[in-house]
Structure formats: C-alpha cells, structure tokens
C-alpha cells in the first residue's frame, strides 16, 4: 500500500527509498562526539547537593568544610545565583487560569521534591566536586508532603506554594453536544477506571551541559545534549540578560532524548550561570541516579470514563474525568499542563460521534516534575478510549474489529472536525483496519486462541486505533507566548565540486534526521544523497528553527529542505542555461549532472557549474548569482496540526498461575503521510512500540507517602529488554498531507501512542473469561493476580 513520490519528469526519486544513515559508520566505529567527550582549557566541573526531602524549608547552609576541600573552586547557593539568573514560569498565556509558580536555578528558601538542586559545588574534577558536595551541611525544617493527586485539592491538604489557595495548576473541560441527555437515553453505557503509571525516559546518554563563558567576546557557548538548540539559546539569553546573538548552543551527537531533553532544567541553567560568574568552562553530567530524580517524569494519570452506544453499537459519546499530578512546578517553557490538555482533545479521536465531555485537572504535588515525553498524552487518551471501546464491544457481543469498523471516521469523510474540536485533513482508519486484519490473519488467530483456551492456555488479542498529532503549528506553543518556534529552516549550498551542504534547524538524536534530510535535499536538487553533507544542531550556523519534538522533523524541517533544494536547483539551472546558451526550463539535474530534460542527455557536470560560479564569475552575465546557496523556511498554516493515524494489535499469553504476560506478536499499521525512508520509519515505529511496552508492563516511578523515590536506579526501575520483545510486524498506508509539497507527516510517536492500549486489551481479552480485568499500568503480575482474585487486597 506504499505510494511512491514520483515526478513524471524525474522518475528516479530518492523519496520512498531506504538509504543508509550518513552518520552510521562514524557512530558504529566509536567516533561519535558527545558532550561529555569535550574537554576545554581551564574547564571545571559542578556537582549538586540535592534535597533529601519532598517538602522542607531551608534553614541554614554550611559550606565551609566543602570550600576547604581539595580542588574546590567555589560553592554557590540559591540566593547567590538568583542575582545573576532570573527565575522562570512554565506558563502559556492562552491557558486561562493556569498557575505556574516561579522556579529558580537553585532552591532559594524551600525545597519541593526529592532531588531538587540546592547547592552547587565547583571543583577541578567531577570526582572532587562530588566528594566536596557530600561535605555541605544543609539544615531543613520538614513540611507536610502532598503526594496523592486525587486528594491534592482536598480542603485539609497543605498548599505547596505560598500565595495560592490550593494545589490546582490548571483545569480544562472540553464539551460538545448534549452529554447528560445522551447518556441518560443511551441503549447502553459502559464505564471504566484507568491509571497510567508515572515513568521517565531512560536515554543511553544522560543530560549533559558544558557551558563556556568567554568574557573577552561577551559570549556564552553551551554544548548540550538537547533537542531544541534555538529554544535554549533564546531562553538562556533571556534569563542571563544577554543578547541572543551572544549565546551559541551546540547540540552535536545526542544519545537519545524521547522528549526528556527538550526542556529547560534548573541544574543546566545553573551551570551556565556559574560559567558566567567564574569566566571559565563548567561541565555538568548527570549520573544515572541523578537522572531518576532530576529528569522529567510523565504519564501520571488517573481517570474515570464512560461511553454511550445506541442499539446498533454506534458510539454516541464519551464522558471522561482525568487527573494528573505534575510535581511542584510546571516545566519551562512548554508547561506541564499540556499533557492533560492533550487528553481533553484526543479522547475518542478515531471515532465518529457528537457528544463529548472530557475534563482534565492538573495538580501540584511534592514529587519530581512531570512534563512532555514521547507521544505527549497520547498513550493516556488511547488507553482510556480503546479500553472503553473494547469493554463496549464485549458488553454488546460485537467483535472488536467489527465494532471499530462501525464507528471509525470514514476515509471519504475528510476534511472533518471532531466533537473535541480537532481539524483533521485526511486519515485512513478503514484502510488501516483492512491492512491490520490481513497482516494478522485475524480469523485464523481467533480460531487458534479458542482452540488453546480449551487446553487451558489463555491468550488474548488486543486492538487499539489511534490518531497522532504531528507537525504542530504556533497554535501549540507560540499562541501562548512561549519562545518555541513552530517553523524550521534549511540552507542548501552547492560547493565548487558539485557537492552540497545542507544546514537544518532539525536536530539528530538517533532517529535518522541526517539520512532523511540528505534524501530530501538530494531529491530537491537532483543529486545523489551521498553528495549531501547535513549539518544540524548549531545555532551559530543553522537557520532558526524549532528543533526535534512532536514528530515535526520530516513534515516541517523536511518541507523546508525540499523547498531550499528545489530553489538551489533552479539557481544552478539558471547558470547552466547561460553557459549552454539554452533555456533553463529545458534542463534538469539528475544524479549530479545537468541533462536535457526531455532526452536525459548529459550536458554539463555540476562541478563545471561550480568552477565557473566560484572561480570565473567574470565570464557570467552580471545578473547571475556568484554563490549557489538558498535558504527556505516553512511553517504550517492551513491546519493547527497534521494528524496521522493507525491501528495496533497485540497477541499475548497470560500465565494465570503467576500473572506473567508473554508478548507473542505485535502489529502496527501506520499512516504517516509520505514515507521518506521506509526502514527508518519502520524502526521509529518499532522503537516507539518498545517504549509503549515499557509503560504497559514494566516502567513505573514509585514514591512512598512522604514523597521518597523508591526505585530510582536501574536495579529497581524496569525497562523492556530484547528478551521481552515480540516480533513486530509493521505495515503502512500513505495519506500525504496536501499542505506541503513533500506530503510528509510525523512517525516518531505513533508506536508509543497505541502499544499500551493494545497490550491492555489483549491481557483483558485473555483473562475476561475468568472474571479478570486490569486497567492500571503497568500491568504487573501482582495486579493481574489481584484482578483474578488470587489474593485479597
């Protein structure tokens, strides 16, 4: 079902081909250059003293012994850094009523979560800084901790922040139609309770920053493991009172991000401020234990919901009440309210119905900060939606596939606006379901399941349809005043030998940005991808852009690259036409050679065009360019987002004696619009599915009632490993967006969006005949056994 990107005049397109990653050989050879690999003259290291309490007043700090320790340069406290670095508020202006208390680089008078940075110790080596940090004595007056999100707004619950009446950060209700009347008169109403465990991104490379203040130049250079260099440039400049042109952010090789590295972190800002004070390079590298308490968490949601149907199994409406706890602060600059806001928009996404009410309550608590993480809000919304859909299908005695067929938005119905207010350009739920059924051999799988159940083997099949938000416009952040660009740019330059350098604002974290940008630029110019050198992640040289987040790289950055490449092609052909005494429209560039467009006859190598332009420009007419370079920016305008869609299925076996779940096979049919590189898309989907499996079965950040993190190490926090992974079958449908020339949407988060719901439904399909049901992720053996009544609560 793959549609090729074909120009009838240029049949050898590089779009839609699997092309090797340009950086693969270098990384495989161990020649990657990560931030922690960088050593600068006079560089020192900073270690942070972090709060051991979830909530306490700081009553005293004694750093004398630390200052006397070997190799220590200086010790900084919150009030000291507050003089050189202003606080920030993670707030969007259009979220009416949202509260966002100011956060400092180091805690000033109170600590509000275990792991909040309190004191910074700078020394000549990292080891010496960590040893000295252990010598800092901080006196605390413990305060009551707020840990339970569902009681955070109770009248007798302490308020975390002074000046506020309660612990409510933000509340949003999205409502359409006549919900109460519809549910009162429905043929059937099915209810459910759902919980998504708090978890975090476990990146191969932890967060790292090396800040280098050059007083003679009045410039700060920050080498950071980050996803959005221009965003960080703007915000460091703002809070350190510097011109933006005097802040350079460099994001080179990044060892994974998953959304963890797209935020502003207090310890990273502190490192930059310390570099400015000391006038020398300062490096901070989070160790794995620090990462668990200082990296953002996500997905801490609890919801009740119900779905109404008519007598034919047609969905009439959804009614959901969702709660999420975000820790004591809203993340900056994207805000921690966005995940709950996404849930209010995405419930019921694939389906056609008219009555809708979803309320999300975002509350403060004394735990680590929760914020955006891969597929923001999507797994939560999909689990609630698909959990209710599966329960409804079972209650009405309708096969889960058939129930979805009756209710998905028809493929010929677009464009359409949903009851939640989403504008959808074009999706493919019907075609995706057809492709899934074929890939699974669904009827045969059901027959196998029934036969095995007769033998006491309990297997289940779970289905989950989904939509995914990609290519966000300024309606996501810009509308709220956040300094986060929704546009992206690409500069394409042809060098004298005919090779091309492409500078893009989209960053590379392992997802294959360099490969797809090389393909797109090659397509635009008319050269081979191996003739393109892609440069990313340096605010000094790359066009201003948003970076990598929300599945925007191909659809926005790629569109800019295609347009820049085509503009360069036109510029080259203008020069070549003059050299050949021909008309530009009769020429083309194919595989790096100027050819006759009609016959394909080779006329001129690009190297000859480059030689004339750069070294013998005197021979050209004066109106022709003397440099072959073009820059284009792109931003979506017709739709706030380009939605993709898909459907996943999981086949599991549940051991009812132990509660263990074995993943047997997993399928995903996904429609990301135009596919640039099939292998990269498939591996993005598989990687997303693995992350979804982690949330469904293994990952959960656990706190006790006092706000102490209980499993903050890789010995205790479980992540999926290769032995737990099933075979994953990936199929595609392509519905290109018509807004851009490329037609690409995003693919990075689809796997994560649907996998947890598919696994949940598969487990319940296996244990429902035994009277069991699980809806609290992760679905641990203990929770499954409790659902089966194996022991009392």
């Amino acid at each position: 079902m793959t549609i090729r990107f074909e120009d009838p005049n240029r049949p050898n397109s590089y779009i839609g081909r699997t092309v090797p990653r340009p950086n693969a050989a270098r990384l495989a050879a161990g020649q990657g250059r990560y931030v922690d690999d960088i050593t600068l003259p006079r560089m020192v290291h900073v270690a942070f003293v972090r709060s051991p309490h979830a909530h306490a007043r700081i009553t005293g700090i004694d750093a004398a012994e630390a200052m006397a320790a070997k190799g220590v340069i200086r010790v900084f406290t919150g009030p000291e850094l507050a003089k050189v670095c202003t606080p920030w508020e993670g707030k969007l202006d259009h979220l009416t009523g949202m509260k966002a208390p100011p956060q400092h680089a180091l805690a000033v008078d109170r600590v509000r979560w275990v792991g909040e940075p309190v004191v910074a110790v700078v020394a000549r080596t990292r080891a010496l800084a960590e040893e000295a940090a252990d010598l800092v004595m901080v006196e605390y007056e413990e305060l009551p901790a707020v840990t339970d999100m569902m009681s955070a707004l109770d009248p007798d619950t302490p308020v975390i922040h002074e000046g506020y009446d309660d612990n409510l950060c933000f509340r949003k209700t999205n409502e359409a139609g006549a919900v109460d009347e519809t549910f009162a008169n429905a043929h059937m109403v099915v209810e459910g309770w759902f919980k998504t465990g708090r978890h975090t991104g476990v990146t191969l490379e932890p967060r790292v920053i090396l800040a280098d203040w050059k007083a003679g130049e009045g410039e700060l250079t920050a080498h950071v493991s980050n996803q959005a260099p221009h965003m960080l440039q703007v915000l460091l400049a703002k809070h350190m009172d510097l011109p933006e042109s005097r802040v350079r952010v460099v994001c080179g090789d990044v060892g994974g991000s998953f959304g963890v590295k797209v935020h502003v972190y207090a310890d990273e800002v502190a490192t930059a401020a310390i570099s400015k004070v000391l006038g020398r390079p300062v490096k901070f590298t989070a160790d794995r234990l620090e990462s668990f308490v200082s990296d953002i968490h996500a997905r801490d949601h609890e919801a009740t919901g119900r779905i109404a149907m008519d007598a034919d199994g047609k969905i009439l409406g959804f009614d959901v009440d969702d709660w999420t706890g975000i820790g004591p602060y809203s993340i900056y600059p994207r805000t921690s309210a966005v995940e709950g806001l996404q849930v209010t928009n995405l419930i019921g996404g694939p389906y056609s119905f008219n009555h809708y009410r979803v309320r999300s309550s975002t509350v403060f608590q004394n735990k680590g900060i929760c914020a955006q993480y891969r597929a923001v809000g999507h797994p939560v919304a999909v689990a609630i939606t698909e959990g209710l859909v599966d329960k409804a299908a079972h209650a009405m005695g309708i096969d889960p596939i058939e129930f979805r067929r009756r209710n998905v938005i028809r493929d010929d119905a677009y464009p359409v606006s949903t009851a939640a207010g989403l504008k959808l350009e074009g999706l493919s739920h019907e075609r995706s379901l057809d492709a899934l059924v074929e890939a699974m051999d669904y009827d045969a799988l059901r027959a196998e399941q029934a036969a095995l159940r007769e033998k006491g083997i309990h297997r289940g099949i779970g289905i989950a349809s989904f939509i995914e938000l990609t290519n966000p416009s300024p309606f996501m952040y810009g509308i709220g005043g956040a300094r986060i660009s929704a546009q992206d740019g690409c500069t394409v330059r042809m060098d004298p030998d005919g090779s091309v350098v492409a500078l893009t604002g989209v960053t590379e974290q392992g997802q294959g940005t360099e490969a797809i940008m090389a393909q797109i630029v090659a397509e635009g110019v008319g050269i081979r991808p191996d003739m393109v050198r892609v440069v990313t992640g340096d605010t000094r040289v790359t066009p201003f852009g948003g970076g990598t987040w929300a599945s925007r790289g191909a659809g926005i950055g790629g569109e800019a690259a295609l347009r820049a490449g085509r503009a360069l092609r036109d510029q080259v052909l203008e020069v070549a036409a003059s050299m050949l005494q021909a008309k530009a429209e009769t020429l083309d560039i194919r595989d790096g050679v100027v050819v006759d467009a009609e016959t394909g006859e080779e006329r001129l190598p690009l190297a000859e065009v480059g030689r004339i332009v750069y070294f013998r420009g005197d021979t050209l007419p004066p109106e022709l360019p003397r440099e072959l370079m073009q820059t284009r920016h792109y931003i979506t305008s017709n739709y706030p987002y380009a939605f993709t869609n898909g459907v996943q299925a999981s086949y599991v076996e549940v051991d009812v004696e132990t509660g263990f779940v074995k993943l047997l096979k997993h399928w995903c049919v996904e429609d990301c619009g135009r596919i640039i590189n099939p292998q990269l898309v498939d591996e993005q989907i598989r990687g997303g599915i693995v992350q979804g499996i982690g949330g469904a079965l293994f990952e959960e950040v656990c706190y006790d009632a006092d706000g102490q993190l209980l499993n903050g190490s890789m010995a205790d926090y479980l992540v999926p490993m290769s032995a737990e992974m099933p075979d994953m079958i990936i199929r595609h449908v392509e519905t290109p967006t018509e807004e851009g020339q490329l037609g690409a949407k995003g693919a990075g988060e689809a796997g994560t969006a649907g996998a947890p719901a598919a696994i949940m439904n598969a487990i319940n399909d296996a244990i429902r005949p035994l009277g069991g049901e699980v809806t609290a992720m992760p679905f641990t053996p203990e929770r499954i056994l409790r659902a089966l009544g194996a022991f009392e609560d």
Side-chain angles (χ1 to χ4, degrees):
M1 292 193 177
T2 298
I3 302 170
R4 291 292 303 276
F5 180 82
E6 295 261 340
D7 181 335
N9 297 316
R10 308 183 68 207
N12 297 319
S13 174
Y14 288 103
I15 304 300
R17 294 189 192 182
T18 291
V19 174
R21 301 183 184 209
N23 59 354
R26 176 175 60 84
L27 295 176
Q31 296 172 349
R33 188 171 186 257
Y34 301 87
V35 177
D36 203 39
D37 294 324
I38 302 172
T39 300
L40 298 178
R42 301 179 65 245
M43 185 179 80
V44 293
H45 297 258
V46 61
F48 292 95
V49 179
R50 298 182 182 275
S51 171
H53 303 292
H55 196 193
R57 286 191 182 89
I58 301 171
T59 58
I61 296 175
D62 183 354
E65 190 176 353
M67 275 300 303
K70 178 182 177 181
V72 172
I73 307 297
R74 187 162 170 181
V75 176
F76 291 87
T77 64
E80 289 175 285
L81 280 192
K83 296 176 182 177
V84 295
C85 177
T86 58
W88 52 87
E89 298 178 359
K91 187 176 182 179
L92 294 175
D93 296 340
H94 68 296
L95 302 185
T96 305
M98 181 182 177
K99 291 180 288 191
Q103 184 183 5
H104 287 268
L106 295 176
V108 173
D109 54 2
R110 276 200 197 192
V111 291
R112 293 180 172 87
W113 88 88
V114 172
E116 183 172 4
V118 179
V119 178
V121 179
V122 184
R124 299 192 183 278
T125 69
R126 178 179 173 183
L128 291 174
E130 290 178 345
E131 290 174 5
D134 289 338
L135 302 176
V136 176
M137 302 300 294
V138 183
E139 296 179 0
Y140 297 98
E141 176 191 341
E142 286 195 64
L143 298 170
V146 178
T147 56
D148 177 30
M149 77 171 82
M150 300 307 294
S151 62
L153 301 183
D154 290 355
D156 57 347
T157 298
V159 177
I160 292 174
H161 294 284
E162 305 91 330
Y164 289 169
D165 297 328
D166 55 32
N167 293 313
L168 181 66
C169 170
F170 181 66
R171 176 169 279 161
K172 170 69 183 295
T173 300
N174 191 347
E175 186 169 359
V179 176
D180 291 330
E181 179 182 351
T182 298
F183 275 80
N185 297 322
H187 173 75
M188 180 177 288
V189 173
V190 171
E191 300 181 350
W193 171 83
F194 303 89
K195 189 176 189 304
T196 305
R198 172 185 283 244
H199 51 272
T200 187
V202 183
T203 59
L204 287 174
E205 177 201 27
R207 290 187 299 107
V208 192
I209 180 171
L210 170 55
D212 182 14
W213 171 256
K214 296 181 176 66
E217 299 177 15
E219 181 175 271
L220 174 71
T221 298
H223 300 270
V224 195
S225 183
N226 192 272
Q227 300 171 234
H230 284 103
M231 178 201 79
L232 196 57
Q233 172 201 19
V234 167
L235 297 176
L236 286 175
K238 175 180 179 180
H239 294 284
M240 295 176 64
D241 194 24
L242 296 170
E244 291 173 9
S245 60
R246 292 294 179 174
V247 177
R248 179 188 183 190
V249 175
V250 182
C251 302
D253 290 325
V254 174
S257 52
F258 312 132
V260 168
K261 298 177 181 177
V262 77
H263 308 289
V264 171
Y265 285 89
D267 46 25
E268 295 179 8
V269 176
T271 302
I274 290 168
S275 176
K276 189 170 186 290
V277 172
L278 296 181
R280 63 194 301 176
V282 181
K283 180 186 285 186
F284 164 63
T285 302
D287 64 31
R288 191 59 69 183
L289 298 179
E290 271 185 303
S291 293
F292 277 103
V293 296
S294 64
D295 289 359
I296 62 103
H297 299 163
R299 311 270 206 265
D300 198 357
H301 285 254
E302 188 169 334
T304 55
R306 55 183 186 154
I307 182 174
M309 289 80 61
D310 67 15
D312 296 322
K314 189 77 174 67
I315 296 173
L316 301 175
F318 285 88
D319 187 11
V320 175
D321 188 18
D322 174 67
W323 287 68
T324 180
I326 62 165
Y329 296 101
S330 174
I331 202 69
Y332 184 66
R334 296 168 187 274
T335 85
S336 297
V338 168
E339 185 163 84
L341 189 64
Q342 293 279 64
V343 173
T344 67
N345 293 330
L346 293 170
I347 295 288
Y351 301 106
S352 176
F353 57 91
N354 296 318
H355 308 282
Y356 187 81
R357 181 168 61 208
V358 180
R359 185 181 78 158
S360 179
S361 301
T362 301
V363 299
F364 296 118
Q365 54 183 177
N366 294 117
K367 295 181 180 179
I369 298 174
C370 268
Q372 287 88 331
Y373 170 76
R374 190 176 193 173
V376 183
H378 289 68
V380 179
V382 176
I384 296 169
T385 300
E386 294 301 293
L388 289 172
V389 164
D390 246 39
K391 290 185 73 171
H394 175 71
M396 299 197 73
I398 303 173
D399 179 84
I401 291 286
E402 173 59 25
F403 190 86
R404 287 169 173 82
R405 287 194 195 280
R406 295 184 189 183
N407 286 286
V408 292
I409 301 172
R410 305 303 175 201
D411 290 359
D412 61 0
Y414 299 95
V416 69
S417 292
T418 70
L422 301 178
K423 293 176 63 179
L424 306 178
E425 178 192 7
L427 301 177
S428 58
H429 293 297
E430 291 178 306
R431 285 180 290 156
S432 295
L433 280 168
D434 290 343
L436 179 73
V437 168
E438 180 183 355
M440 294 175 69
D441 197 356
Y442 182 74
D443 291 339
L445 204 63
R446 283 293 184 196
E448 177 183 281
Q449 176 194 29
L452 290 172
R453 184 164 287 162
E454 292 294 323
K455 299 177 182 180
I457 298 173
H458 300 277
R459 292 187 176 182
I461 302 169
I463 311 295
S465 293
F466 62 90
I467 60 173
E468 179 202 354
L469 180 157
T470 77
N471 296 1
S473 75
F475 276 87
M476 192 163 198
Y477 294 117
I479 192 175
R483 307 274 283 178
I484 301 170
S485 181
Q487 71 170 22
D488 233 295
C490 185
T491 296
V492 179
R493 183 190 74 228
M494 193 185 93
D495 285 339
D497 66 351
S499 63
V500 168
V501 176
L503 300 98
T504 175
V506 179
T507 52
E508 169 75 77
Q509 285 100 48
Q511 78 277 38
T513 290
E514 291 186 22
I516 66 168
M517 291 301 171
Q519 286 177 258
I520 293 168
V521 169
E523 170 69 28
V525 178
I527 58 178
R528 301 185 310 275
D530 61 12
M531 298 175 68
V532 182
R533 173 73 170 95
V534 178
V535 177
T536 73
D538 187 341
T539 61
R540 176 173 287 176
V541 297
T542 59
F544 199 95
T548 298
W549 48 275
S551 299
R552 65 186 301 279
I556 295 179
E559 182 70 26
L562 181 66
R563 296 183 181 200
R566 287 178 170 173
L568 177 63
R569 171 179 167 272
D570 291 343
Q571 191 179 40
V572 170
L573 291 179
E574 183 183 12
V575 175
S578 175
M579 294 170 62
L580 295 169
Q581 298 184 11
K583 293 183 178 180
E585 58 267 25
T586 67
L587 303 174
D588 195 8
I589 304 174
R590 297 175 190 169
D591 290 334
V593 178
V594 177
V595 301
D596 183 277
E598 185 175 345
T599 67
E601 178 189 356
E602 294 188 3
R603 299 293 305 277
L604 198 65
L606 287 185
E608 180 62 12
V609 179
R611 183 185 72 83
I612 294 297
V613 168
Y614 290 109
F615 306 122
R616 289 304 311 273
D618 59 296
T619 65
L620 295 173
E623 68 273 10
L624 291 183
R626 266 48 177 189
E627 184 176 34
L628 299 174
M629 183 167 67
Q630 293 288 318
T631 298
R632 293 293 184 273
H633 281 79
Y634 177 72
I635 189 169
T636 56
S637 55
N638 296 337
Y639 289 85
Y641 316 98
F643 278 93
T644 70
N645 72 276
V647 58
Q648 295 191 36
S650 195
Y651 191 37
V652 308
E653 183 174 312
V654 180
D655 187 328
V656 297
E657 300 296 326
T658 65
F660 277 87
V661 176
K662 183 177 182 180
L663 299 169
L664 301 174
K665 208 162 189 177
H666 197 97
W667 297 263
C668 179
V669 177
E670 188 262 0
D671 184 345
C672 64
R674 188 79 64 203
I675 293 176
I676 311 301
N677 187 313
Q679 185 177 67
L680 287 181
V681 171
D682 284 0
E683 295 314 310
Q684 279 286 292
I685 298 297
R686 287 191 176 95
I689 290 170
V690 171
Q691 221 149 7
I693 289 171
L697 295 178
F698 302 106
E699 299 184 49
E700 184 173 26
V701 177
C702 299
Y703 286 85
D704 67 14
D706 296 320
Q708 291 292 329
L709 181 60
L710 300 177
N711 61 335
S713 75
M714 292 303 293
D716 301 302
Y717 183 87
L718 301 181
V719 295
M721 307 292 282
S722 59
E724 287 84 45
M725 292 305 98
D727 288 338
M728 288 177 267
I729 309 301
I730 313 300
R731 297 286 186 270
H732 297 282
V733 175
E734 289 190 66
T735 309
T737 174
E738 295 182 4
E739 184 158 1
Q741 300 173 17
L742 185 61
K745 305 176 188 177
E749 298 167 290
T752 309
I759 293 169
M760 175 182 70
N761 286 341
I763 294 171
N764 288 330
D765 188 52
I767 67 175
R768 189 175 285 120
L770 303 176
E773 180 184 74
V774 287
T775 55
M777 297 185 205
F779 306 116
T780 61
E782 178 186 351
R783 286 172 175 165
I784 290 172
L785 290 176
R786 287 188 185 278
L788 292 171
F791 43 82
E792 299 293 331
D793 288 327

